[in-house]
């Protein structure tokens, strides 16, 4: 059984930082690309960041320069370092594993496995 478990969410003031973690089990972690998505109230799920098995990275324009995705294969964990947080970043953040194509990394349906999400709230 594949499980992805997010942690690190919480409440911060605008300008603050959080680091999210997602630990995977039940899969060969080093073979998978890993992504972060988020869903704000009343909005559709949106792509945030992706890191490939070779550690190449991609970011949504809205978070570029503020967020950093990384991975520790020895710990089966992917991280999302979030700096200079804005109220617009408030959302439930989800990690996901296994995009089927490098051309589909921004598409939720391309991922095989999902975590339950962790709430990030940024106050103004």
């Amino acid at each position: 059984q594949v499980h992805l478990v997010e942690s690190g969410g919480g409440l911060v003031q605008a300008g603050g930082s959080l680091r999210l973690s997602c630990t995977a089990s039940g899969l060969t972690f080093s073979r998978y690309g890993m992504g972060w998505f988020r869903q704000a109230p009343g909005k559709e799920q949106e792509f945030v960041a992706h890191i490939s098995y070779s550690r190449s990275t991609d970011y949504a324009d809205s978070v570029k320069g503020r967020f950093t995705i990384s991975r520790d294969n020895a710990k089966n964990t992917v991280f999302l370092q979030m700096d200079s947080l804005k109220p617009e970043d408030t959302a439930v953040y989800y990690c996901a594993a296994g995009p089927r194509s490098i051309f589909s990394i921004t598409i939720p349906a391309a991922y095989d496995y999902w975590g339950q999400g962790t709430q990030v709230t940024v106050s103004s």
Side-chain angles (χ1 to χ4, degrees):
Q1 185 75 21
V2 174
H3 289 103
L4 305 179
V5 180
E6 301 98 336
S7 63
L11 173 64
V12 297
Q13 293 189 342
S17 297
L18 285 173
R19 189 177 77 154
L20 306 183
S21 300
C22 172
T23 299
S25 61
L27 51 74
T28 305
F29 182 78
S30 62
R31 297 180 181 177
Y32 284 80
M34 300 293 298
W36 286 97
F37 291 77
R38 67 187 183 186
Q39 188 165 24
K43 296 186 177 181
E44 296 297 316
Q45 194 173 50
E46 67 173 345
F47 169 76
V48 177
H50 173 268
I51 184 166
S52 75
Y53 75 94
S54 61
R55 292 183 169 84
S56 64
T57 58
D58 291 276
Y59 298 92
D61 289 342
S62 60
V63 307
K64 196 170 299 181
R66 299 188 298 120
F67 291 11
T68 303
I69 189 170
S70 61
R71 66 192 297 162
D72 185 341
N73 288 348
K75 297 182 182 296
N76 284 7
T77 300
V78 62
F79 303 96
L80 186 68
Q81 177 68 41
M82 305 185 296
D83 298 321
S84 301
L85 282 162
K86 304 175 181 180
E88 306 94 275
D89 296 317
T90 295
V92 177
Y93 284 70
Y94 300 89
C95 71
R100 286 179 268 274
S101 170
I102 61 171
F103 303 106
S104 303
I105 61 172
T106 66
I107 302 173
Y111 290 77
D112 293 322
Y113 308 108
W114 291 83
Q116 293 182 327
T118 186
Q119 176 71 49
V120 172
T121 303
V122 184
S123 62
S124 59

